[in-house]
Amino acid sequence: MIRRLVVNGRARELDVLPHQTLLEVLRDTLGIFEVKEGCGEGVCGACTVLLEGRPVSSCLVLALAVRGRAILTVRGLEGEGGLHPLQEAFVKSGAVQCGFCTPGLIVAVADLLQRDPHPTEHVVREALSGNLCRCTGYQKILDAVRLAQERMAEASS
Ligand code: FES
Ligand code: FES
């Protein structure tokens, strides 16, 4: 079935099979490899994208169910001026090591800071509890979120 997906603001027409997940279509059909495949069963968060602004595990979503809806990957956060402050904060804080978890984590944090620009550490930990990282021990990720909060607050003042 030919369906239209809107990924990072760009409409894409593609053939989607009834059993295909959003993750499969993004990676295998559209070549959007910044969306990572980890567990394939909704546990690791590596495949997280924003669907109409809210985080979803794309391995658990059927591609047919999202036709016409806005999908945002980590690449879609970049502006014309370059990296999003959140992306810069992850790099600067050493929160990107192997990088496998990073695209999913960054879009999950983007959603959190959109809803709550000044979350407590407890709230950040809770919001990111579905995104597993095997490298950083999480402290550098928490540092990155705090740095991004500061930079985003400065930019909006
Ligand atoms: S690959 Fe989707 S949650 Fe792990
Ligand atoms: S940086 Fe390697 S899994 Fe998180």
Side-chain angles (χ1 to χ4, degrees):
M1 271 172 259
I2 302 293
R3 294 294 182 206
R4 165 187 258 238
L5 298 188
V6 183
V7 185
N8 296 334
R10 180 174 165 204
R12 314 286 292 262
E13 304 279 340
L14 63 155
D15 203 6
V16 177
L17 299 172
H19 65 271
Q20 280 186 303
T21 65
L22 176 58
L23 175 62
E24 288 171 324
V25 164
L26 289 173
R27 286 181 59 88
D28 302 342
T29 308
L30 296 177
I32 297 178
F33 296 117
E34 72 263 24
V35 183
K36 301 300 181 197
E37 178 169 13
C39 64
E41 52 189 33
V43 175
C44 72
C47 67
T48 306
V49 297
L50 299 186
L51 176 60
E52 297 289 344
R54 297 309 308 270
V56 295
S57 294
S58 59
C59 67
L60 295 184
V61 176
L62 284 175
L64 281 180
V66 301
R67 59 182 182 272
R69 296 166 71 194
I71 297 153
L72 192 89
T73 75
V74 69
R75 196 169 294 242
L77 288 176
E78 290 169 24
E80 291 191 354
L83 294 181
H84 186 279
L86 199 42
Q87 294 168 309
E88 284 179 349
F90 265 66
V91 173
K92 194 162 177 63
S93 304
V96 182
Q97 293 191 17
C98 82
F100 196 80
C101 66
T102 309
L105 267 167
I106 287 181
V107 295
V109 178
D111 163 64
L112 171 64
L113 296 183
Q114 172 74 24
R115 290 182 286 112
D116 179 0
H118 306 290
T120 63
E121 184 176 315
H122 176 75
V123 169
V124 175
R125 284 181 181 275
E126 204 160 79
L128 301 184
S129 59
N131 292 79
L132 305 185
C133 175
R134 297 174 64 172
C135 306
T136 62
Y138 297 99
Q139 186 56 51
K140 289 174 191 297
I141 292 169
L142 295 171
D143 294 345
V145 175
R146 197 175 317 112
L147 180 60
Q149 273 176 249
E150 290 167 7
R151 296 233 168 130
M152 290 163 77
E154 278 166 22
S156 65
S157 65

